[in-house]
Amino acid sequence: VKRWIIHVDMDAFFAAVEQRDNPELRGKPVIVGGLGRRGVVSTASYEARKFGIHSAMPMAEARQLCPKGIFLAGDHSKYVKVSADIQSILADFSPAIEPLSLDEAFLDVSGMEWLYPKPQEIAVKIKRRIKKELGLVASAGVAPNKFLAKLASDYGKPDGLVVVEPGMEKEFLRDKSVGRLWGVGATTAELLCSAGINTIGQLAKADRAVFEKFFGSAAAAMRALVVGADDRPVVSTHVPKSMGNEITFEKDLVAKEEMEAYCLALSQKVGRRLRKADLIGRTVTVKIRLASFKTLSRSHTLDEATCLDEKIYEVAKSVVSGMELAQGVRLLGITVTNLKPWMPQISLFGESEDKRLRMLRAMDSLKDRFGETAITSCRLLGENKYT
DNA sequence: TCTGGGGTCCTAGGACCC
DNA sequence: TCTGGGGTCCTAGGACCC
């Protein structure tokens, strides 16, 4: 039961889209990310990477490294559209597509030998079409499973196409660092390093007890992964488990009233997204990051699931007002979990809440048609600096 | 150079029920 | 009279991913 999985990953996606759409940016260091005081780098073009700039780096640091760089806020809705264009190209090659983010996806292309004797022919065609039709460069990895395909696409970047043939798994993995393993991040990699384990090859030689110690319940899966075994299927249907929005302030907040105003704006954002997705949720979680960077979360589970702004806000507000905060607040977030589909046929709310839902949906559609500023609640009038 | 915003999954303690 | 054990839900925190 041999599988062939392709992982397609766009090169420097956001920066590449900006360079595509503005020829003056081509060949130059372009950095897309937050432009505010506390912004971080989202994507750096390859020209910018030469200066040592990379994703998640604070913008201030990036500016130090490359003062002449071109710094852009980026345009998320544009990237969503380009992502859809990429997906529709992928859909011409297999119905089994699993997007991982806007710029990468897995494809299961097993059993297509009658059309393409070799799976890399599919990857070549995909790369060619993305280049020709979208003017963008993608890297691809072709392998018997997801883990290897993802590693392979990364290995050839940029403009790469790397195939891992069955039987070559261990050799391909041997010298890769343990941090490349799925689920091994900075914390675990550091622990492994301290134990003298730096490469996947070294980890593969370790005995069972070592895996138990470092990975606990994931030990068995990890032992499979280090020898290149991974039977996770490509799953094309995704059911969201949570939906949330958060904001980091330019200056830390101290006043509770200000925090509550942001709670309202965030609740409205989350509520609208829930309604758009036809979802309702029972648990509201408020996330607060203090000036010290210590992060707190407080959640409350309702009796009935909701997608109404004011229900979410009510919980968020009471949580925030009840907290004793000895420090300024640098981040505030609201997330709704415990989600389930909202059935338009059945009224899940009382009559007045159904009415309120119809009102909110009408406002949603006005905003869709005329823009976010088309309509605002009285509560926010005069305070729209928060939205 | 002080550290974004969108998520997923896991753990562990306590409440609560039978 | 001084004490069980399993299952499930809720909550808080943390690692990890792009």
Side-chain angles (χ1 to χ4, degrees):
Chain A
V1 229
K2 193 178 76 175
R3 289 192 302 158
W4 279 112
I5 309 296
I6 301 179
H7 180 252
V8 178
D9 194 343
M10 304 300 292
D11 297 332
F13 185 49
F14 296 172
V17 171
E18 297 309 325
Q19 288 176 322
R20 176 193 76 175
D21 294 347
N22 181 356
E24 291 195 359
L25 302 182
R26 294 177 197 171
K28 294 183 184 164
V30 172
I31 300 98
V32 178
L35 299 183
R37 281 202 320 140
R38 288 171 164 170
V40 299
V41 175
S42 181
T43 316
S45 71
Y46 281 88
E47 296 86 352
R49 292 183 198 189
K50 288 181 195 153
F51 293 84
I53 299 173
H54 57 82
S55 304
M57 172 184 278
M59 268 300 193
E61 187 182 356
R63 287 185 193 275
Q64 300 273 333
L65 290 171
C66 184
K68 292 187 172 170
I70 296 156
F71 295 86
L72 304 171
D75 178 351
H76 191 79
S77 64
K78 178 155 88 177
Y79 309 143
V80 170
K81 284 181 196 139
V82 179
S83 183
D85 295 339
I86 296 163
Q87 303 252 7
S88 80
I89 289 175
L90 298 183
D92 286 344
F93 294 90
S94 170
I97 307 168
E98 179 179 341
L100 280 186
S101 64
L102 289 181
D103 78 317
E104 50 179 302
F106 287 112
L107 265 86
D108 190 331
V109 295
S110 308
M112 297 208 167
E113 289 78 7
W114 57 280
L115 243 184
Y116 304 101
K118 292 190 165 172
Q120 53 264 48
E121 293 172 27
I122 303 177
V124 167
K125 282 193 155 42
I126 289 171
K127 277 167 58 77
R128 208 176 278 160
R129 282 193 57 190
I130 289 175
K131 180 81 219 228
K132 184 157 182 261
E133 296 171 27
L134 305 179
L136 295 168
V137 180
S139 290
V142 184
N145 61 53
K146 287 167 106 174
F147 170 55
L148 291 167
K150 184 152 165 59
L151 239 57
S153 72
D154 200 59
Y155 193 58
K157 270 182 173 295
D159 201 10
L161 201 183
V162 173
V163 184
V164 181
E165 302 279 354
M168 301 299 285
E169 295 92 341
K170 287 184 192 171
E171 190 185 326
F172 179 71
L173 290 173
R174 196 172 49 212
D175 297 324
K176 306 274 184 294
S177 108
V178 288
R180 313 306 299 274
L181 288 163
W182 237 88
V184 176
T187 309
T188 311
E190 188 53 45
L191 288 172
L192 287 164
C193 264
S194 317
I197 300 168
N198 298 287
T199 67
I200 296 179
Q202 288 173 322
L203 181 57
K205 287 191 203 137
D207 47 53
R208 189 185 296 262
V210 172
F211 281 86
E212 303 285 350
K213 179 183 167 194
F214 287 101
F215 305 113
S217 66
M222 278 298 176
R223 294 188 76 205
L225 219 52
V226 294
V227 294
D230 171 21
D231 58 9
R232 290 172 300 166
V234 171
V235 181
S236 48
T237 53
H238 175 73
V239 184
K241 306 259 188 321
S242 68
M243 206 168 267
N245 285 89
E246 62 184 50
I247 178 174
T248 293
F249 307 112
E250 292 287 304
K251 282 197 71 184
D252 296 349
L253 257 49
V254 177
K256 279 281 174 69
E257 310 84 70
E258 233 177 340
M259 294 177 205
E260 286 168 14
Y262 277 106
C263 278
L264 178 59
L266 288 166
S267 299
Q268 289 173 330
K269 273 194 186 175
V270 175
R272 180 154 171 226
R273 288 177 59 212
L274 287 170
R275 293 189 291 277
K276 190 158 203 158
D278 281 328
L279 290 168
I280 51 178
R282 279 182 61 213
T283 305
V284 178
T285 302
V286 176
K287 172 174 161 184
I288 285 183
R289 178 122 70 208
L290 302 173
S292 64
F293 221 72
K294 184 183 168 67
T295 307
L296 311 170
S297 72
R298 293 290 175 268
S299 54
H300 178 80
T301 299
L302 301 161
D303 290 338
E304 300 287 350
T306 190
C307 62
L308 299 179
D309 302 351
E310 53 268 43
K311 292 278 174 191
I312 301 167
Y313 173 60
E314 198 182 322
V315 175
K317 183 188 149 125
S318 72
V319 163
V320 167
S321 63
M323 283 173 83
E324 293 177 34
L325 297 167
Q327 291 175 52
V329 168
R330 64 173 286 144
L331 172 149
L332 195 58
I334 295 180
T335 297
V336 175
T337 57
N338 240 323
L339 303 180
K340 59 179 183 180
W342 175 70
M343 304 294 182
Q345 310 84 355
I346 310 157
S347 161
L348 289 172
F349 309 105
E351 199 177 317
S352 71
E353 291 185 11
D354 283 344
K355 195 172 162 186
R356 179 63 185 152
L357 178 58
R358 286 194 299 276
M359 166 72 84
L360 285 170
R361 282 191 179 277
M363 288 167 63
D364 292 344
S365 93
L366 282 172
K367 285 178 186 167
D368 286 342
R369 287 160 60 201
F370 302 114
E372 299 306 308
T373 51
I375 184 164
T376 310
S377 76
C378 297
R379 177 72 179 78
L380 275 183
L381 274 180
E383 310 187 30
N384 56 12
K385 60 176 173 170
Y386 298 114
T387 52

